[in-house]
Amino acid sequence: MKPITILIADDETEIAELIAMHLEKEGYHTIIAADGSAAIQAVQSQPVDLAILDVMMPKLDGLEVTRQIREKYRMPIIFLSAKASDLDKITGLVIGADDYMTKPFNPMELVARVKAQLRRFIVLNPSPADSPSMLQIRGLTIDPEKRTVTIYDQTIDLTPKEFDILHLLAGHPNKVFSAENIFMQIWGESYYDSGNTVMVHIRTLRKKLGEDPKKFIKTVWGVGYTFND
């Protein structure tokens, strides 16, 4: 069985090598890229199972690298950045990152988050034999195997987190999920005042779903969100 390959993109060589050392102790294969352009080349030239990206990098920053990766690939992405504001974190998550850690950081915590993201990715991306069936609701089609969403045959471009939220809600119609519950199930970690993160993802998801998105996702004030069947 081939080892899991993790891309580490950071222009600070010491940090990249420190991360690589800790991941390799856990049996992972690592690739180091010193800038955003090299990170894109690494992803395009070989299979990468997870990417750890610095936000501020030469040539292409982590946000642009994520945008380009998300055009073709679904692997988990973890941002590692000195930018620690809530707005920076929400921006990174909305663009397509799966997790966001701030510098300085604990390498063992990063390893734990890598393991959590890989575990989650495997669970949410089953083999074809185990794949759940397609969901079809009032012109909306959700294909969990291909991870695609269409409305009346028009493809809707969703980030991985937006897809996961929609699939979670649509898979349990009329069940109300709190922001805390959504965050814990989709992000796979403890809730830490991340209601804004969930709210931003719901807002952008509704916008992408079209003219009358609330016909699909309804807000239950003071409780959470539900999907109308």
Side-chain angles (χ1 to χ4, degrees):
M1 186 172 116
K2 78 176 186 68
I4 290 174
T5 298
I6 297 176
L7 169 65
I8 305 163
D10 198 311
D11 60 327
E12 296 185 68
T13 304
E14 291 184 359
I15 290 179
E17 291 179 347
L18 175 66
I19 296 170
M21 180 186 70
H22 281 275
L23 290 172
E24 288 169 4
K25 284 182 179 178
E26 298 295 322
Y28 299 117
H29 171 63
T30 62
I31 305 166
I32 294 178
D35 58 62
S37 179
I40 293 295
Q41 291 175 9
V43 170
Q44 292 175 339
S45 63
Q46 59 199 299
V48 172
D49 299 291
L50 181 143
I52 300 171
L53 307 178
D54 185 20
V55 173
M56 301 301 294
M57 289 189 291
K59 298 187 179 179
L60 296 174
D61 65 23
L63 299 177
E64 180 58 29
V65 172
T66 298
R67 288 191 190 98
Q68 294 192 27
I69 288 177
R70 286 294 176 239
E71 290 177 359
K72 295 183 179 179
Y73 306 99
R74 295 182 287 136
M75 84 282 280
I77 295 174
I78 299 176
F79 274 157
L80 190 60
S81 175
K83 302 178 76 172
S85 73
D86 287 343
L87 179 59
D88 290 323
K89 294 177 182 178
I90 290 173
T91 299
L93 294 170
V94 168
I95 282 176
D98 298 278
D99 201 352
Y100 194 112
M101 284 191 70
T102 56
K103 299 177 181 179
F105 64 98
N106 183 327
M108 296 310 297
E109 180 184 352
L110 177 57
V111 171
R113 292 190 182 217
V114 165
K115 290 181 177 179
Q117 288 298 330
L118 288 170
R119 185 166 55 245
R120 215 185 124 268
F121 183 71
I122 292 170
V123 168
L124 291 176
N125 292 271
S127 63
D130 298 327
S131 295
S133 58
M134 191 179 296
L135 298 175
Q136 294 181 311
I137 310 100
R138 300 192 310 282
L140 176 68
T141 301
I142 304 171
D143 187 335
E145 182 176 345
K146 296 180 180 177
R147 289 181 67 84
T148 58
V149 175
T150 59
I151 296 182
Y152 298 111
D153 297 325
Q154 179 180 354
T155 300
I156 308 299
D157 185 21
L158 302 182
T159 67
K161 285 293 186 289
E162 289 166 357
F163 179 91
D164 292 341
I165 291 172
L166 180 61
H167 187 240
L168 173 67
L169 296 177
H172 302 83
N174 298 318
K175 177 179 178 179
V176 180
F177 289 85
S178 67
E180 176 179 1
N181 194 291
I182 292 172
F183 187 84
M184 292 179 68
Q185 292 200 47
I186 300 304
W187 275 263
E189 59 185 70
S190 298
Y191 182 80
Y192 48 90
D193 193 25
S194 294
N196 284 341
T197 300
V198 173
M199 180 181 68
V200 169
H201 278 74
I202 292 288
R203 184 167 64 239
T204 57
L205 178 56
R206 281 173 166 162
K207 184 177 180 180
K208 291 179 179 181
L209 287 176
E211 295 180 0
D212 186 19
K214 291 183 181 180
K215 72 179 182 181
F216 295 121
I217 301 175
K218 177 183 177 183
T219 298
V220 181
W221 295 108
V223 183
Y225 305 94
T226 187
F227 190 93
N228 292 324
D229 64 3

